[in-house]
Amino acid sequence: MPEIKVTPLGAGQDVGRSCILVSIAGKNVMLDCGMHMGYNDDRRFPDFSYITQNGRLTDFLDCVIISHFHLDHCGALPYFSEMVGYDGPIYMTHPTKAICPILLEDYRKITVDKKGETNFFTSQMIKDCMKKVVAVHLHQTIQVDDELEIKAYYAGHVLGAAMFQIKVGSESVVYTGDYNMTPDRHLGAAWIDKCRPDLLISESTYATTIRDSKRCRERDFLKKVHESVERGGKVLIPVFALGRVVFATPGMLHAGQSLQIFRKWAGNEKNMVIMPGYCVQGTVGHKILSGQRKLEMEGRQILEVKMQVEYMSFSAHADAKGIMQLIRQAEPRSVLLVHGEAKKMEFLKQKIEQEFHVNCYMPANGETTTLFTSPNIPVDISLGLLKRESAIGLVPDSKKPKLMHGTLIMKDNSFRLVSPEQALKELGLGEHQLRFTCRVHIQDPRKEHEMVLRVYNHLKGVLKDYSVQHLPDGSIMVESILIQATAQSEDQGTKVLLVSWTYQDEELGSYLTSLLKKGLPQTTA
Ligand SMILES: [Zn+2]
């Protein structure tokens, strides 16, 4: 049976380091190649050794697709292509291709120039990596090879962000990347057509959140800023790098400018930090949002946080309502959640299964989900058979599946459904009929023909809606079921009846047998 396999190398029950391996109809595609903001060691990149233990990565992977320029979706790309050694095609939209190298260079500078790490990708490697990138337009169908095709859809979220449809024959998967179903002040809402994929792989960062209106959020936001400024304080808003509002970055206070300012301002209770979105575990942002007020900084220094900490979601991710909305739009046969926390995913998974009656999966990193698909196989059918089988209407309706009976002929790589008579004629075969026969013992001391007459009268009386005939050769026919008396058994008082039927009349044949086994009514002779 055809199957689709999905293994997250990153972002499985976690946010950050997005990297999902998909096998569909013999093709292998890697979705995103991100870094993890919460780690500075080996765990920051996906574990690519999962992909293949023997052989070259390029031979195994048919292509890599990058959904958008955020580093948790593309931060490991130069490492993967220039250091691990992937040499095949990489697809992303034009804006992503333009912005991606800028962010990668920024990331490299912080890691190598500022933190002094070695064994990291170089500026030249970023350039060489980008040479392998094929830029795509939205809604453009890209033929990766003869069988594998991909197509990008608008995802909102940030400039250039795209959802990707991956298709081989009649099997397909849609990967959302990060997306937003409500338009904000500079980007529109994500959109996809009713493409009914076998699987929708969706992010689920805000799986349990339902956001209030944007207007209320903006009003509350301004109120908080005014409060702090009136007290004589300063307000820090760490934000997500490119393509959003411009304050200090990065958004999760894990490095760079926003972290420096935070360290300077944290000691003054008049100041305020407003966290505008989700923070990954391990980042300073996540620590202060979960109430930690004493932070260990580099060099074992303890930073006491006296400033006010506020959270207001101005995130560009879909909330629970948005995720449900996308599922309604695409009508997938199953859903798989990535890029979220296990607990929140569990809640959304139940909601999805209840509302849409489809399976929902949430594999952890390194865990493979296998789902079986039922591919469409085109079959030619003769007009005669179609007429015979369609009592209701001649025009087939894809929304109302209909059962057809016939003989399937496989010839020259194509399938045809024909009537059994036609199949026999084409294949030059004779027709055989298979009959099932049952023996029924009847207690009756009278002569055989008298006993048969009694059986005939009994059946005629009981089976009023059926045709019951007594034939000249002494047998009885009920519809197509044949009942014959046979040679007497050793016991003079017992007669044997043979009841026989064809495969099609199984139900009536068994019914008659059980009826006769109950015996004949007593008659006054
Ligand atoms: Zn993103």
Side-chain angles (χ1 to χ4, degrees):
M1 207 170 188
E3 57 184 30
I4 293 175
K5 280 187 181 175
V6 183
T7 315
L9 305 186
Q13 300 182 6
D14 188 19
V15 179
R17 203 175 61 175
S18 279
C19 185
I20 298 124
L21 202 63
V22 172
S23 298
I24 170 172
K27 302 284 170 184
N28 299 309
V29 177
M30 195 171 95
L31 304 166
D32 281 336
C33 190
M35 53 79 90
H36 201 296
M37 291 76 74
Y39 301 118
N40 285 319
D41 51 23
D42 275 356
R43 292 171 293 176
R44 69 177 153 214
F45 291 154
D47 183 358
F48 298 115
S49 65
Y50 270 111
I51 301 178
T52 174
Q53 295 295 332
N54 33 31
R56 278 170 14 102
L57 276 172
T58 314
D59 296 336
F60 181 81
L61 280 182
D62 292 279
C63 72
V64 170
I65 295 172
I66 301 294
S67 65
H68 64 293
F69 61 63
H70 278 155
L71 288 173
D72 59 327
H73 294 260
C74 71
L77 193 61
Y79 169 75
F80 185 62
S81 69
E82 307 311 307
M83 295 170 86
V84 181
Y86 172 72
D87 214 18
I90 301 164
Y91 294 92
M92 56 178 78
T93 63
H94 285 275
T96 305
K97 188 181 178 183
I99 300 164
C100 204
I102 303 172
L103 290 187
L104 286 169
E105 179 56 27
D106 211 43
Y107 178 34
R108 189 203 63 79
K109 267 189 201 153
I110 287 175
T111 314
V112 179
D113 298 353
K114 282 219 168 146
K115 290 190 191 159
E117 278 191 48
T118 49
N119 195 24
F120 204 75
F121 53 76
T122 62
S123 297
Q124 189 56 45
M125 284 178 183
I126 298 174
K127 286 187 189 117
D128 291 341
C129 167
M130 295 316 288
K131 282 182 198 150
K132 295 173 183 170
V133 171
V134 182
V136 305
H137 291 286
L138 291 177
H139 302 164
Q140 178 192 3
T141 301
I142 306 287
Q143 211 70 45
V144 177
D145 59 32
D146 286 349
E147 292 151 314
L148 174 63
E149 60 178 53
I150 61 170
K151 191 175 176 180
Y153 289 92
Y154 187 74
H157 189 61
V158 289
L159 188 66
M163 305 190 271
F164 277 87
Q165 182 190 47
I166 300 108
K167 206 170 164 191
V168 183
S170 61
E171 291 171 74
S172 66
V173 170
V174 168
Y175 172 58
T176 65
D178 292 350
Y179 65 105
N180 196 358
M181 293 298 283
T182 45
D184 60 23
R185 287 185 185 269
H186 81 135
L187 288 169
W191 181 86
I192 194 160
D193 52 31
K194 216 173 266 314
C195 53
R196 299 196 177 95
D198 292 292
L199 179 67
L200 175 79
I201 303 175
S202 174
E203 68 132 322
S204 51
T205 324
Y206 289 92
T208 53
T209 310
I210 291 173
R211 281 193 214 105
D212 51 9
S213 80
K214 202 170 61 191
R215 242 192 136 68
C216 293
R217 249 181 299 149
E218 284 174 349
R219 197 188 50 217
D220 289 353
F221 169 74
L222 288 176
K223 215 173 113 198
K224 284 198 170 118
V225 174
H226 279 288
E227 272 170 23
S228 178
V229 173
E230 272 165 21
R231 274 200 308 265
K234 299 186 184 94
V235 180
L236 170 65
I237 305 160
V239 293
F240 295 88
L242 266 164
R244 311 242 99 217
V245 232
V246 175
F247 295 93
T249 69
M252 299 184 194
L253 287 171
H254 56 284
Q257 194 76 17
S258 66
L259 183 61
Q260 275 179 25
I261 299 175
F262 174 75
R263 289 170 79 156
K264 241 185 232 166
W265 294 0
N268 188 340
E269 66 269 13
K270 280 185 194 161
N271 293 341
M272 180 188 285
V273 56
I274 299 180
M275 304 301 294
Y278 182 86
C279 286
V280 169
Q281 204 154 12
T283 59
V284 171
H286 184 269
K287 284 177 191 158
I288 57 169
L289 278 181
S290 44
Q292 217 173 309
R293 288 296 172 261
K294 279 197 173 118
L295 304 172
E296 194 183 314
M297 307 308 279
E298 276 160 58
R300 303 230 159 160
Q301 222 182 316
I302 300 291
L303 179 71
E304 204 168 331
V305 182
K306 288 186 182 152
M307 77 198 297
Q308 244 180 292
V309 178
E310 296 283 348
Y311 173 76
M312 298 193 79
S313 172
F314 275 95
S315 166
H317 290 271
D319 62 0
K321 226 163 73 186
I323 296 169
M324 300 300 269
Q325 208 178 324
L326 186 80
I327 296 173
R328 212 165 292 125
Q329 235 176 54
E331 282 189 9
R333 294 194 179 90
S334 49
V335 178
L336 187 142
L337 300 177
V338 291
H339 203 286
E341 292 166 26
K343 256 192 200 156
K344 294 181 183 175
M345 278 183 177
E346 189 62 55
F347 170 83
L348 186 66
K349 170 182 147 74
Q350 281 178 16
K351 217 169 127 85
I352 290 169
E353 288 183 331
Q354 267 169 22
E355 183 161 341
F356 298 105
H357 308 288
V358 297
N359 286 331
C360 183
Y361 309 90
M362 41 175 281
N365 286 334
E367 192 186 318
T368 302
T369 297
T370 305
L371 47 120
F372 298 101
T373 57
S374 36
N376 297 319
I377 299 170
V379 173
D380 285 331
I381 179 164
S382 74
L383 194 62
L385 186 64
L386 197 65
K387 270 184 185 163
R388 199 170 85 178
E389 288 282 316
S390 313
I392 308 159
L394 248 185
V395 188
D397 185 349
S398 64
K399 280 186 192 150
K400 288 182 199 144
K402 207 181 167 315
L403 203 64
M404 305 284 290
H405 299 88
T407 306
L408 192 68
I409 297 185
M410 236 175 100
K411 211 172 162 185
D412 305 328
N413 262 334
S414 69
F415 293 92
R416 277 186 309 130
L417 192 72
V418 298
S419 66
E421 304 86 61
Q422 174 76 16
L424 288 172
K425 215 169 109 189
E426 277 189 37
L427 300 170
L429 297 173
E431 192 179 352
H432 296 268
Q433 213 176 44
L434 204 63
R435 290 190 82 88
F436 300 85
T437 305
C438 236
R439 296 163 79 89
V440 180
H441 296 261
I442 303 273
Q443 301 291 334
D444 197 327
R446 272 165 290 195
K447 291 215 170 80
E448 193 180 286
H449 71 269
E450 286 174 42
M451 183 273 295
V452 171
L453 198 63
R454 267 186 81 203
V455 171
Y456 170 71
N457 285 331
H458 172 54
L459 293 179
K460 191 117 181 112
V462 178
L463 306 169
K464 291 219 159 57
D465 295 334
Y466 293 86
S467 117
V468 183
Q469 302 169 63
H470 195 181
L471 301 181
D473 66 356
S475 54
I476 301 168
M477 282 287 275
V478 181
E479 300 290 335
S480 66
I481 318 283
L482 190 67
I483 302 169
Q484 287 171 304
T486 184
Q488 288 167 358
S489 66
E490 282 155 34
D491 178 0
Q492 288 289 322
T494 307
K495 305 276 185 304
V496 179
L497 282 176
L498 295 179
V499 185
S500 90
W501 62 88
T502 62
Y503 165 70
Q504 288 92 334
D505 295 312
E506 162 76 28
E507 216 174 311
L508 183 59
S510 321
Y511 171 64
L512 274 182
T513 309
S514 64
L515 193 70
L516 290 169
K517 276 185 176 163
K518 284 184 192 150
L520 300 176
Q522 293 300 320
T523 46
T524 44

